[in-house]
Amino acid sequence: MPVEKPSIAELLRQTSILEAVSDSARLDLEVLLCHVLKKPRSYLFTWPEKVLDQQSVKHFNDLLKRRADGEPIAYLTGEKEFWSLSLEVNAATLIPRPDTELLVETTLDLLDKASSRVLDLGTGTGAIALALASERPAWEIIAVDTVAEAVALAEKNRQRLGLENVSVVRSDWFEDLAQQKFELIVSNPPYIDANDHHLNEGDVRFEPGSALVSGNKGLADIEVIICGARKYLNEGGYLLMEHGYQQAGAVRDLLRAEGCLQVSTRKDIAGHERLTLGRF
Ligand SMILES: C[S@@+](CC[C@H](N)C(=O)[O-])C[C@H]1O[C@@H](n2cnc3c(N)ncnc32)[C@H](O)[C@@H]1O
């Protein structure tokens, strides 16, 4: 029978409930408990004997049940760190991944710090655009998404972080961008094939298809972006895209077919080819 007024230490002992869905059951419990108590992790270790009130226990147990059903921690707490920024997240778009920081790093290396115009296609939470804006206050960044709820979320994150050099716009890729020109276009578009078994596993099951799935073996949106980019880039402008680890060759071929120069692929820390870029 569950203890009616459990202590912090007792609640954190329930790792077995999460072991089937998580490789980090203890950490998950700690993050959820901190979220319920609105306290930092150090509080849990300083006050292990502290007893929770009934309302907090119920809130914690509800979240624990959802986590045991596989829901990602970030959707339960409503936030995720990306590039040292705390971003609000919700089920309208992808939870930002650490892998995507490679797009940010590469973009920062390619352009100098002086004023540049950068376009982030498929911005989701605003992760890439806001990370770039936080590093380069002189850049003007346009962040685009086609999903209205994602646009609202990115704008909310922009306001929370007070980043005035980003504009969030609703557009189906380039469609509503009129005749703007940029030095660089960066994108983490949907690139998973609809039949890919990964869609039925782990956190991804809870994320929307609009952020993950693309036709033509996952390459349809990448192709639209590559074919449309030239019109929106200045001479010599860059296009950088994240893609699946088996798609690099196809992406390089598409960029070369569009006449791009300096086409190259970068590997993530696991050694997988996950980012390809070209110069128009
Ligand atoms: C893989 S998620 C990337 C989100 C964010 N950039 C990140 O890296 O965390 C792809 C994003 O593209 C958006 N998207 C899908 N189709 C689009 C389209 N036709 N035009 C603009 N954005 C689109 C989705 O709504 C989603 O937010």
Side-chain angles (χ1 to χ4, degrees), residues 139-180:
W139 290 4
E140 186 187 347
I141 300 166
I142 309 293
V144 160
D145 209 287
T146 193
V147 173
E149 294 84 352
V151 171
L153 181 64
E155 174 58 17
K156 194 168 176 198
N157 279 322
R158 186 197 70 73
Q159 286 180 19
R160 275 172 32 141
L161 295 166
L163 292 163
E164 300 296 333
N165 54 330
V166 178
S167 306
V168 186
V169 173
R170 187 174 183 193
S171 174
D172 177 359
W173 300 133
F174 301 100
E175 217 159 283
D176 291 313
L177 289 177
Q179 288 171 5
Q180 303 189 55

mmCIF file of all heavy atoms in Angstrom, residues 139-180:
data_model
loop_
_atom_site.group_PDB
_atom_site.id
_atom_site.type_symbol
_atom_site.label_atom_id
_atom_site.label_comp_id
_atom_site.label_asym_id
_atom_site.label_seq_id
_atom_site.Cartn_x
_atom_site.Cartn_y
_atom_site.Cartn_z
ATOM 1 N N TRP A 139 22.890 40.131 -35.774
ATOM 2 C CA TRP A 139 22.235 39.451 -36.892
ATOM 3 C C TRP A 139 20.726 39.695 -36.857
ATOM 4 O O TRP A 139 20.137 39.844 -35.785
ATOM 5 C CB TRP A 139 22.454 37.938 -36.819
ATOM 6 C CG TRP A 139 23.856 37.498 -37.105
ATOM 7 C CD1 TRP A 139 24.940 38.281 -37.332
ATOM 8 C CD2 TRP A 139 24.326 36.146 -37.168
ATOM 9 N NE1 TRP A 139 26.047 37.520 -37.545
ATOM 10 C CE2 TRP A 139 25.707 36.203 -37.455
ATOM 11 C CE3 TRP A 139 23.726 34.897 -37.020
ATOM 12 C CZ2 TRP A 139 26.487 35.059 -37.585
ATOM 13 C CZ3 TRP A 139 24.493 33.754 -37.151
ATOM 14 C CH2 TRP A 139 25.858 33.833 -37.435
ATOM 15 N N GLU A 140 20.128 39.669 -38.039
ATOM 16 C CA GLU A 140 18.667 39.732 -38.122
ATOM 17 C C GLU A 140 18.189 38.343 -38.537
ATOM 18 O O GLU A 140 18.611 37.828 -39.586
ATOM 19 C CB GLU A 140 18.260 40.770 -39.173
ATOM 20 C CG GLU A 140 16.775 40.983 -39.200
ATOM 21 C CD GLU A 140 16.345 41.879 -40.363
ATOM 22 O OE1 GLU A 140 17.203 42.528 -40.996
ATOM 23 O OE2 GLU A 140 15.142 41.890 -40.638
ATOM 24 N N ILE A 141 17.361 37.738 -37.732
ATOM 25 C CA ILE A 141 16.988 36.337 -37.961
ATOM 26 C C ILE A 141 15.475 36.215 -38.153
ATOM 27 O O ILE A 141 14.691 36.737 -37.351
ATOM 28 C CB ILE A 141 17.451 35.467 -36.769
ATOM 29 C CG1 ILE A 141 18.982 35.584 -36.643
ATOM 30 C CG2 ILE A 141 17.034 34.010 -36.952
ATOM 31 C CD1 ILE A 141 19.554 35.075 -35.366
ATOM 32 N N ILE A 142 15.093 35.537 -39.229
ATOM 33 C CA ILE A 142 13.675 35.254 -39.481
ATOM 34 C C ILE A 142 13.463 33.770 -39.202
ATOM 35 O O ILE A 142 14.189 32.923 -39.743
ATOM 36 C CB ILE A 142 13.272 35.565 -40.951
ATOM 37 C CG1 ILE A 142 13.711 36.968 -41.378
ATOM 38 C CG2 ILE A 142 11.775 35.353 -41.158
ATOM 39 C CD1 ILE A 142 13.019 38.113 -40.693
ATOM 40 N N ALA A 143 12.485 33.460 -38.357
ATOM 41 C CA ALA A 143 12.202 32.073 -37.977
ATOM 42 C C ALA A 143 10.823 31.699 -38.495
ATOM 43 O O ALA A 143 9.838 32.373 -38.186
ATOM 44 C CB ALA A 143 12.251 31.944 -36.453
ATOM 45 N N VAL A 144 10.758 30.621 -39.274
ATOM 46 C CA VAL A 144 9.516 30.263 -39.982
ATOM 47 C C VAL A 144 8.998 28.900 -39.536
ATOM 48 O O VAL A 144 9.775 27.966 -39.374
ATOM 49 C CB VAL A 144 9.834 30.212 -41.501
ATOM 50 C CG1 VAL A 144 8.809 29.408 -42.265
ATOM 51 C CG2 VAL A 144 9.948 31.608 -42.073
ATOM 52 N N ASP A 145 7.701 28.791 -39.363
ATOM 53 C CA ASP A 145 7.078 27.466 -39.213
ATOM 54 C C ASP A 145 5.695 27.525 -39.852
ATOM 55 O O ASP A 145 5.086 28.597 -39.938
ATOM 56 C CB ASP A 145 6.961 27.046 -37.737
ATOM 57 C CG ASP A 145 7.016 25.541 -37.572
ATOM 58 O OD1 ASP A 145 6.018 24.866 -37.914
ATOM 59 O OD2 ASP A 145 8.058 25.014 -37.116
ATOM 60 N N THR A 146 5.216 26.376 -40.284
ATOM 61 C CA THR A 146 3.894 26.353 -40.918
ATOM 62 C C THR A 146 2.780 26.035 -39.926
ATOM 63 O O THR A 146 1.611 26.278 -40.193
ATOM 64 C CB THR A 146 3.876 25.319 -42.081
ATOM 65 O OG1 THR A 146 2.723 25.528 -42.851
ATOM 66 C CG2 THR A 146 3.894 23.902 -41.590
ATOM 67 N N VAL A 147 3.155 25.492 -38.769
ATOM 68 C CA VAL A 147 2.155 25.112 -37.754
ATOM 69 C C VAL A 147 1.907 26.316 -36.840
ATOM 70 O O VAL A 147 2.838 26.808 -36.188
ATOM 71 C CB VAL A 147 2.669 23.895 -36.941
ATOM 72 C CG1 VAL A 147 1.749 23.574 -35.775
ATOM 73 C CG2 VAL A 147 2.847 22.685 -37.851
ATOM 74 N N ALA A 148 0.634 26.771 -36.797
ATOM 75 C CA ALA A 148 0.321 28.003 -36.048
ATOM 76 C C ALA A 148 0.749 27.902 -34.575
ATOM 77 O O ALA A 148 1.301 28.852 -34.011
ATOM 78 C CB ALA A 148 -1.175 28.298 -36.139
ATOM 79 N N GLU A 149 0.530 26.724 -33.951
ATOM 80 C CA GLU A 149 0.879 26.565 -32.524
ATOM 81 C C GLU A 149 2.396 26.630 -32.323
ATOM 82 O O GLU A 149 2.872 27.087 -31.284
ATOM 83 C CB GLU A 149 0.362 25.232 -31.965
ATOM 84 C CG GLU A 149 -1.144 25.109 -31.905
ATOM 85 C CD GLU A 149 -1.759 24.650 -33.226
ATOM 86 O OE1 GLU A 149 -1.024 24.568 -34.252
ATOM 87 O OE2 GLU A 149 -2.969 24.406 -33.245
ATOM 88 N N ALA A 150 3.152 26.156 -33.309
ATOM 89 C CA ALA A 150 4.613 26.235 -33.202
ATOM 90 C C ALA A 150 5.066 27.690 -33.337
ATOM 91 O O ALA A 150 5.958 28.149 -32.608
ATOM 92 C CB ALA A 150 5.283 25.353 -34.257
ATOM 93 N N VAL A 151 4.442 28.423 -34.248
ATOM 94 C CA VAL A 151 4.768 29.850 -34.411
ATOM 95 C C VAL A 151 4.512 30.589 -33.089
ATOM 96 O O VAL A 151 5.350 31.372 -32.624
ATOM 97 C CB VAL A 151 3.933 30.470 -35.566
ATOM 98 C CG1 VAL A 151 4.094 31.979 -35.613
ATOM 99 C CG2 VAL A 151 4.343 29.843 -36.900
ATOM 100 N N ALA A 152 3.351 30.289 -32.458
ATOM 101 C CA ALA A 152 3.014 30.950 -31.184
ATOM 102 C C ALA A 152 4.027 30.578 -30.101
ATOM 103 O O ALA A 152 4.443 31.426 -29.298
ATOM 104 C CB ALA A 152 1.605 30.548 -30.755
ATOM 105 N N LEU A 153 4.463 29.325 -30.101
ATOM 106 C CA LEU A 153 5.426 28.860 -29.092
ATOM 107 C C LEU A 153 6.793 29.522 -29.287
ATOM 108 O O LEU A 153 7.413 29.984 -28.322
ATOM 109 C CB LEU A 153 5.554 27.329 -29.208
ATOM 110 C CG LEU A 153 6.484 26.628 -28.236
ATOM 111 C CD1 LEU A 153 5.988 26.780 -26.793
ATOM 112 C CD2 LEU A 153 6.588 25.134 -28.590
ATOM 113 N N ALA A 154 7.241 29.572 -30.537
ATOM 114 C CA ALA A 154 8.546 30.205 -30.814
ATOM 115 C C ALA A 154 8.494 31.686 -30.422
ATOM 116 O O ALA A 154 9.451 32.218 -29.852
ATOM 117 C CB ALA A 154 8.904 30.042 -32.287
ATOM 118 N N GLU A 155 7.379 32.329 -30.716
ATOM 119 C CA GLU A 155 7.244 33.753 -30.368
ATOM 120 C C GLU A 155 7.241 33.927 -28.838
ATOM 121 O O GLU A 155 7.853 34.862 -28.315
ATOM 122 C CB GLU A 155 5.963 34.317 -31.008
ATOM 123 C CG GLU A 155 5.598 35.740 -30.619
ATOM 124 C CD GLU A 155 6.677 36.790 -30.931
ATOM 125 O OE1 GLU A 155 7.591 36.533 -31.730
ATOM 126 O OE2 GLU A 155 6.595 37.890 -30.328
ATOM 127 N N LYS A 156 6.591 33.004 -28.133
ATOM 128 C CA LYS A 156 6.568 33.077 -26.671
ATOM 129 C C LYS A 156 7.991 32.910 -26.113
ATOM 130 O O LYS A 156 8.409 33.652 -25.220
ATOM 131 C CB LYS A 156 5.652 31.971 -26.135
ATOM 132 C CG LYS A 156 5.265 32.131 -24.702
ATOM 133 C CD LYS A 156 4.147 31.182 -24.358
ATOM 134 C CE LYS A 156 3.814 31.262 -22.888
ATOM 135 N NZ LYS A 156 3.057 30.102 -22.435
ATOM 136 N N ASN A 157 8.721 31.944 -26.674
ATOM 137 C CA ASN A 157 10.108 31.749 -26.234
ATOM 138 C C ASN A 157 10.961 32.976 -26.540
ATOM 139 O O ASN A 157 11.801 33.376 -25.746
ATOM 140 C CB ASN A 157 10.692 30.495 -26.889
ATOM 141 C CG ASN A 157 10.271 29.228 -26.167
ATOM 142 O OD1 ASN A 157 10.189 29.213 -24.935
ATOM 143 N ND2 ASN A 157 9.987 28.171 -26.913
ATOM 144 N N ARG A 158 10.737 33.562 -27.715
ATOM 145 C CA ARG A 158 11.494 34.773 -28.091
ATOM 146 C C ARG A 158 11.259 35.876 -27.057
ATOM 147 O O ARG A 158 12.204 36.521 -26.592
ATOM 148 C CB ARG A 158 11.050 35.255 -29.486
ATOM 149 C CG ARG A 158 11.883 36.418 -30.019
ATOM 150 C CD ARG A 158 11.200 37.127 -31.164
ATOM 151 N NE ARG A 158 10.029 37.890 -30.748
ATOM 152 C CZ ARG A 158 10.051 39.036 -30.080
ATOM 153 N NH1 ARG A 158 11.201 39.578 -29.738
ATOM 154 N NH2 ARG A 158 8.937 39.658 -29.740
ATOM 155 N N GLN A 159 9.980 36.052 -26.696
ATOM 156 C CA GLN A 159 9.655 37.122 -25.737
ATOM 157 C C GLN A 159 10.241 36.823 -24.362
ATOM 158 O O GLN A 159 10.793 37.707 -23.713
ATOM 159 C CB GLN A 159 8.143 37.286 -25.640
ATOM 160 C CG GLN A 159 7.568 37.961 -26.866
ATOM 161 C CD GLN A 159 6.059 38.137 -26.791
ATOM 162 O OE1 GLN A 159 5.460 38.088 -25.726
ATOM 163 N NE2 GLN A 159 5.434 38.335 -27.940
ATOM 164 N N ARG A 160 10.115 35.571 -23.921
ATOM 165 C CA ARG A 160 10.669 35.181 -22.599
ATOM 166 C C ARG A 160 12.155 35.463 -22.515
ATOM 167 O O ARG A 160 12.686 35.847 -21.487
ATOM 168 C CB ARG A 160 10.468 33.676 -22.368
ATOM 169 C CG ARG A 160 9.122 33.319 -21.788
ATOM 170 C CD ARG A 160 8.886 31.828 -21.766
ATOM 171 N NE ARG A 160 10.089 31.037 -21.578
ATOM 172 C CZ ARG A 160 10.164 29.934 -20.840
ATOM 173 N NH1 ARG A 160 9.131 29.523 -20.192
ATOM 174 N NH2 ARG A 160 11.276 29.247 -20.759
ATOM 175 N N LEU A 161 12.857 35.230 -23.639
ATOM 176 C CA LEU A 161 14.312 35.413 -23.653
ATOM 177 C C LEU A 161 14.703 36.840 -24.020
ATOM 178 O O LEU A 161 15.881 37.194 -23.970
ATOM 179 C CB LEU A 161 14.952 34.423 -24.632
ATOM 180 C CG LEU A 161 14.793 32.952 -24.241
ATOM 181 C CD1 LEU A 161 15.136 32.031 -25.402
ATOM 182 C CD2 LEU A 161 15.666 32.623 -23.023
ATOM 183 N N GLY A 162 13.715 37.644 -24.403
ATOM 184 C CA GLY A 162 13.977 39.056 -24.720
ATOM 185 C C GLY A 162 14.901 39.233 -25.918
ATOM 186 O O GLY A 162 15.732 40.145 -25.920
ATOM 187 N N LEU A 163 14.761 38.365 -26.930
ATOM 188 C CA LEU A 163 15.657 38.454 -28.096
ATOM 189 C C LEU A 163 14.962 39.231 -29.221
ATOM 190 O O LEU A 163 14.103 38.699 -29.931
ATOM 191 C CB LEU A 163 16.067 37.044 -28.544
ATOM 192 C CG LEU A 163 16.969 36.347 -27.516
ATOM 193 C CD1 LEU A 163 17.036 34.850 -27.761
ATOM 194 C CD2 LEU A 163 18.358 36.959 -27.498
ATOM 195 N N GLU A 164 15.345 40.486 -29.349
ATOM 196 C CA GLU A 164 14.649 41.397 -30.258
ATOM 197 C C GLU A 164 15.065 41.227 -31.713
ATOM 198 O O GLU A 164 14.430 41.763 -32.609
ATOM 199 C CB GLU A 164 14.924 42.860 -29.845
ATOM 200 C CG GLU A 164 14.464 43.210 -28.444
ATOM 201 C CD GLU A 164 12.949 43.120 -28.281
ATOM 202 O OE1 GLU A 164 12.232 43.300 -29.283
ATOM 203 O OE2 GLU A 164 12.496 42.837 -27.152
ATOM 204 N N ASN A 165 16.158 40.515 -31.957
ATOM 205 C CA ASN A 165 16.648 40.383 -33.339
ATOM 206 C C ASN A 165 16.107 39.154 -34.069
ATOM 207 O O ASN A 165 16.672 38.713 -35.064
ATOM 208 C CB ASN A 165 18.184 40.398 -33.383
ATOM 209 C CG ASN A 165 18.820 39.354 -32.475
ATOM 210 O OD1 ASN A 165 18.253 38.994 -31.452
ATOM 211 N ND2 ASN A 165 19.996 38.879 -32.841
ATOM 212 N N VAL A 166 15.008 38.586 -33.551
ATOM 213 C CA VAL A 166 14.340 37.461 -34.231
ATOM 214 C C VAL A 166 12.901 37.854 -34.541
ATOM 215 O O VAL A 166 12.212 38.413 -33.690
ATOM 216 C CB VAL A 166 14.310 36.202 -33.327
ATOM 217 C CG1 VAL A 166 13.567 35.053 -34.016
ATOM 218 C CG2 VAL A 166 15.709 35.766 -32.953
ATOM 219 N N SER A 167 12.431 37.550 -35.768
ATOM 220 C CA SER A 167 11.010 37.697 -36.108
ATOM 221 C C SER A 167 10.472 36.318 -36.440
ATOM 222 O O SER A 167 11.073 35.603 -37.243
ATOM 223 C CB SER A 167 10.812 38.575 -37.341
ATOM 224 O OG SER A 167 11.452 39.796 -37.154
ATOM 225 N N VAL A 168 9.355 35.962 -35.823
ATOM 226 C CA VAL A 168 8.759 34.646 -36.076
ATOM 227 C C VAL A 168 7.594 34.826 -37.046
ATOM 228 O O VAL A 168 6.723 35.672 -36.832
ATOM 229 C CB VAL A 168 8.277 34.004 -34.763
ATOM 230 C CG1 VAL A 168 7.799 32.580 -35.031
ATOM 231 C CG2 VAL A 168 9.382 34.003 -33.708
ATOM 232 N N VAL A 169 7.608 34.019 -38.104
ATOM 233 C CA VAL A 169 6.651 34.204 -39.195
ATOM 234 C C VAL A 169 6.006 32.863 -39.528
ATOM 235 O O VAL A 169 6.690 31.833 -39.531
ATOM 236 C CB VAL A 169 7.419 34.704 -40.458
ATOM 237 C CG1 VAL A 169 6.519 34.752 -41.673
ATOM 238 C CG2 VAL A 169 8.073 36.044 -40.190
ATOM 239 N N ARG A 170 4.704 32.877 -39.844
ATOM 240 C CA ARG A 170 4.065 31.639 -40.305
ATOM 241 C C ARG A 170 4.178 31.559 -41.817
ATOM 242 O O ARG A 170 3.748 32.476 -42.533
ATOM 243 C CB ARG A 170 2.598 31.604 -39.887
ATOM 244 C CG ARG A 170 1.988 30.259 -40.206
ATOM 245 C CD ARG A 170 0.588 30.132 -39.678
ATOM 246 N NE ARG A 170 0.085 28.792 -39.960
ATOM 247 C CZ ARG A 170 -1.170 28.448 -39.842
ATOM 248 N NH1 ARG A 170 -2.078 29.327 -39.427
ATOM 249 N NH2 ARG A 170 -1.555 27.213 -40.136
ATOM 250 N N SER A 171 4.761 30.478 -42.291
ATOM 251 C CA SER A 171 4.891 30.309 -43.741
ATOM 252 C C SER A 171 5.112 28.827 -44.046
ATOM 253 O O SER A 171 5.735 28.111 -43.262
ATOM 254 C CB SER A 171 6.089 31.130 -44.252
ATOM 255 O OG SER A 171 6.327 30.877 -45.617
ATOM 256 N N ASP A 172 4.585 28.390 -45.186
ATOM 257 C CA ASP A 172 4.867 27.039 -45.685
ATOM 258 C C ASP A 172 6.198 27.165 -46.435
ATOM 259 O O ASP A 172 6.233 27.682 -47.553
ATOM 260 C CB ASP A 172 3.717 26.598 -46.592
ATOM 261 C CG ASP A 172 3.961 25.232 -47.222
ATOM 262 O OD1 ASP A 172 5.028 24.626 -46.966
ATOM 263 O OD2 ASP A 172 3.082 24.783 -47.982
ATOM 264 N N TRP A 173 7.287 26.760 -45.774
ATOM 265 C CA TRP A 173 8.652 27.002 -46.255
ATOM 266 C C TRP A 173 8.788 28.451 -46.758
ATOM 267 O O TRP A 173 8.550 29.362 -45.993
ATOM 268 C CB TRP A 173 9.091 25.952 -47.283
ATOM 269 C CG TRP A 173 9.062 24.546 -46.720
ATOM 270 C CD1 TRP A 173 8.527 23.424 -47.307
ATOM 271 C CD2 TRP A 173 9.573 24.087 -45.445
ATOM 272 N NE1 TRP A 173 8.681 22.329 -46.490
ATOM 273 C CE2 TRP A 173 9.306 22.687 -45.356
ATOM 274 C CE3 TRP A 173 10.218 24.690 -44.368
ATOM 275 C CZ2 TRP A 173 9.667 21.913 -44.231
ATOM 276 C CZ3 TRP A 173 10.570 23.925 -43.264
ATOM 277 C CH2 TRP A 173 10.298 22.574 -43.207
ATOM 278 N N PHE A 174 9.129 28.658 -48.062
ATOM 279 C CA PHE A 174 9.430 30.030 -48.514
ATOM 280 C C PHE A 174 8.177 30.833 -48.894
ATOM 281 O O PHE A 174 8.280 32.015 -49.203
ATOM 282 C CB PHE A 174 10.342 29.975 -49.753
ATOM 283 C CG PHE A 174 11.648 29.269 -49.513
ATOM 284 C CD1 PHE A 174 11.847 27.957 -49.911
ATOM 285 C CD2 PHE A 174 12.705 29.928 -48.886
ATOM 286 C CE1 PHE A 174 13.061 27.307 -49.703
ATOM 287 C CE2 PHE A 174 13.918 29.287 -48.677
ATOM 288 C CZ PHE A 174 14.094 27.978 -49.085
ATOM 289 N N GLU A 175 7.021 30.144 -48.896
ATOM 290 C CA GLU A 175 5.857 30.695 -49.578
ATOM 291 C C GLU A 175 5.486 32.134 -49.202
ATOM 292 O O GLU A 175 5.170 32.938 -50.078
ATOM 293 C CB GLU A 175 4.657 29.776 -49.361
ATOM 294 C CG GLU A 175 3.797 29.691 -50.592
ATOM 295 C CD GLU A 175 2.944 28.439 -50.565
ATOM 296 O OE1 GLU A 175 3.501 27.365 -50.835
ATOM 297 O OE2 GLU A 175 1.745 28.561 -50.253
ATOM 298 N N ASP A 176 5.543 32.488 -47.905
ATOM 299 C CA ASP A 176 5.108 33.830 -47.495
ATOM 300 C C ASP A 176 6.277 34.745 -47.142
ATOM 301 O O ASP A 176 6.129 35.680 -46.342
ATOM 302 C CB ASP A 176 4.127 33.727 -46.320
ATOM 303 C CG ASP A 176 2.824 33.109 -46.781
ATOM 304 O OD1 ASP A 176 2.304 33.535 -47.829
ATOM 305 O OD2 ASP A 176 2.354 32.162 -46.133
ATOM 306 N N LEU A 177 7.420 34.511 -47.753
ATOM 307 C CA LEU A 177 8.596 35.327 -47.414
ATOM 308 C C LEU A 177 8.823 36.484 -48.383
ATOM 309 O O LEU A 177 9.831 37.196 -48.287
ATOM 310 C CB LEU A 177 9.850 34.452 -47.373
ATOM 311 C CG LEU A 177 9.913 33.495 -46.181
ATOM 312 C CD1 LEU A 177 11.143 32.622 -46.257
ATOM 313 C CD2 LEU A 177 9.911 34.271 -44.871
ATOM 314 N N ALA A 178 7.911 36.641 -49.343
ATOM 315 C CA ALA A 178 8.050 37.701 -50.360
ATOM 316 C C ALA A 178 9.439 37.645 -50.992
ATOM 317 O O ALA A 178 9.923 36.568 -51.309
ATOM 318 C CB ALA A 178 7.737 39.059 -49.746
ATOM 319 N N GLN A 179 10.105 38.799 -51.092
ATOM 320 C CA GLN A 179 11.373 38.785 -51.839
ATOM 321 C C GLN A 179 12.588 39.018 -50.954
ATOM 322 O O GLN A 179 13.532 39.696 -51.342
ATOM 323 C CB GLN A 179 11.307 39.827 -52.938
ATOM 324 C CG GLN A 179 10.381 39.350 -54.018
ATOM 325 C CD GLN A 179 10.072 40.397 -55.049
ATOM 326 O OE1 GLN A 179 10.617 41.489 -55.020
ATOM 327 N NE2 GLN A 179 9.188 40.054 -55.947
ATOM 328 N N GLN A 180 12.564 38.461 -49.762
ATOM 329 C CA GLN A 180 13.684 38.699 -48.843
ATOM 330 C C GLN A 180 14.924 37.918 -49.284
ATOM 331 O O GLN A 180 14.823 36.879 -49.921
ATOM 332 C CB GLN A 180 13.294 38.243 -47.450
ATOM 333 C CG GLN A 180 12.058 38.919 -46.926
ATOM 334 C CD GLN A 180 11.845 38.587 -45.469
ATOM 335 O OE1 GLN A 180 12.726 38.801 -44.642
ATOM 336 N NE2 GLN A 180 10.677 38.065 -45.156
#
